[in-house]
């Protein structure tokens, strides 16, 4: 038993290239009828280990410098000519794809907004019918007036609350406000109570 323990310990020390050699020798010796087994000494193992050769360091070859005339100049900031050619190619592809689809571009939906406008009179004696008529007289391309109603504010004063739909590209709220407030005889102020995209 003591001999087998030595063999196990010996395997832990053996280099990996000699493990197969020792295993084959131990299996042949175990098949023999002799009861004593001997492990090789460490000195013998050191002799049997092959020496590792260090790779030779090659000296880098010095290449002859290329002639300066053959070197291309690198434009780090880019050339506008390449960009223009690329844009022309993109435009040509776009036109070809458009012609293949039937020649019509899809129209983008028109951006519209719904406004709820509060128009306040000067006092309770201001004729509200005339005020509404003045407000509706404001006509702009992309402006459509909707329903209106009179809403009590207090002390007998009512304000005109009127709905309008505008096209965002054609009508600005500032311009609309300037035109409504221009009726100084009837209009004290104008506010946008609600603004919703359609």
């Amino acid at each position: 038993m003591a001999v087998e323990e030595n063999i196990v310990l010996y395997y832990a020390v053996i280099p990996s290239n000699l493990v197969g050699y020792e295993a084959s020798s131990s299996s042949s010796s175990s098949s023999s009828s002799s009861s004593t087994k001997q492990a090789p000494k460490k000195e013998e193992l050191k002799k049997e280990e092959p020496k590792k050769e260090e790779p030779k360091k090659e000296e880098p070859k010095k290449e002859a410098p290329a002639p300066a005339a053959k070197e291309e100049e690198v434009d780090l900031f880019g050339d506008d000519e390449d960009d223009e050619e690329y844009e022309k190619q993109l435009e040509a592809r776009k036109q070809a794809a458009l012609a293949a689809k039937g020649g019509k571009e899809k129209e983008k939906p028109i951006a519209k907004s719904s406004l709820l406008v509060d128009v306040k009179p000067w006092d309770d004696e201001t004729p509200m019918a005339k005020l509404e008529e003045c407000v509706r007289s404001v006509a702009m391309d992309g402006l459509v007036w909707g329903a209106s109603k009179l809403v009590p504010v207090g002390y007998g004063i009512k304000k005109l609350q009127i709905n309008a739909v505008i096209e965002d590209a054609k009508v600005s709220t500032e311009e609309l406000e300037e035109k409504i407030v221009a009726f100084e005889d009837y209009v004290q102020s104008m506010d946008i109570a609600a603004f919703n995209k359609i």
Side-chain angles (χ1 to χ4, degrees):
M1 285 256 182
V3 175
E4 290 178 10
E5 289 176 9
N6 287 340
I7 292 173
V8 172
L9 291 175
Y10 175 71
Y11 278 149
V13 177
I14 294 178
S16 61
N17 60 351
L18 297 178
V19 171
Y21 169 76
E22 190 58 38
S24 63
S25 66
S26 65
S27 63
S28 63
S29 63
S30 64
S31 62
S32 66
S33 61
S34 64
S35 62
T36 59
K37 296 181 182 176
Q38 291 183 349
K41 296 180 182 177
K42 287 184 180 179
E43 296 171 0
E44 293 174 3
L45 285 176
K46 287 182 183 178
K47 290 178 185 176
E48 292 177 8
E49 285 183 25
K51 293 182 180 178
K52 295 180 182 177
E53 295 181 11
E54 294 182 15
K56 295 179 181 177
K57 294 182 181 178
E58 296 181 13
E59 294 181 13
K61 296 179 181 178
K62 294 182 180 178
E63 295 180 9
K70 291 185 179 179
E71 289 184 14
E72 294 181 19
E73 288 187 23
V74 178
D75 188 6
L76 298 177
F77 297 105
D79 223 356
D80 290 340
E81 295 173 7
D82 295 338
D83 294 339
E84 290 172 5
E85 290 175 15
Y86 181 70
E87 288 176 10
K88 288 178 184 177
Q89 289 175 355
L90 283 179
E91 187 65 30
R93 289 180 189 167
K94 185 177 179 182
Q95 294 297 331
L98 184 63
K101 287 184 179 179
K104 290 186 178 180
E105 279 191 56
K106 291 183 179 178
E107 293 182 10
K108 295 180 180 177
I110 299 170
K112 293 183 178 181
S113 299
S114 173
L115 302 176
L116 186 61
V117 179
D118 287 343
V119 182
K120 296 175 186 163
W122 285 106
D123 55 21
D124 61 342
E125 296 176 2
T126 304
M128 296 305 287
K130 186 67 176 167
L131 181 123
E132 184 176 350
E133 183 182 323
C134 291
V135 170
R136 287 186 183 273
S137 70
V138 174
M140 299 170 68
D141 187 30
L143 171 67
V144 178
W145 292 109
S148 65
K149 65 180 179 178
L150 297 175
V151 178
V153 177
Y155 302 106
I157 300 174
K158 295 181 180 180
K159 66 180 178 180
L160 174 68
Q161 199 169 55
I162 188 166
N163 194 1
V165 176
I166 61 169
E167 291 182 24
D168 295 343
K170 296 180 180 178
V171 180
S172 71
T173 55
E174 290 86 14
E175 187 178 355
L176 182 63
E177 183 176 358
E178 286 175 10
K179 289 189 176 189
I180 292 174
V181 175
F183 300 106
E184 295 176 353
D185 295 339
Y186 304 105
V187 179
Q188 175 192 0
S189 65
M190 186 211 101
D191 295 320
I192 297 175
F195 186 96
N196 297 312
K197 295 280 185 186
I198 298 176

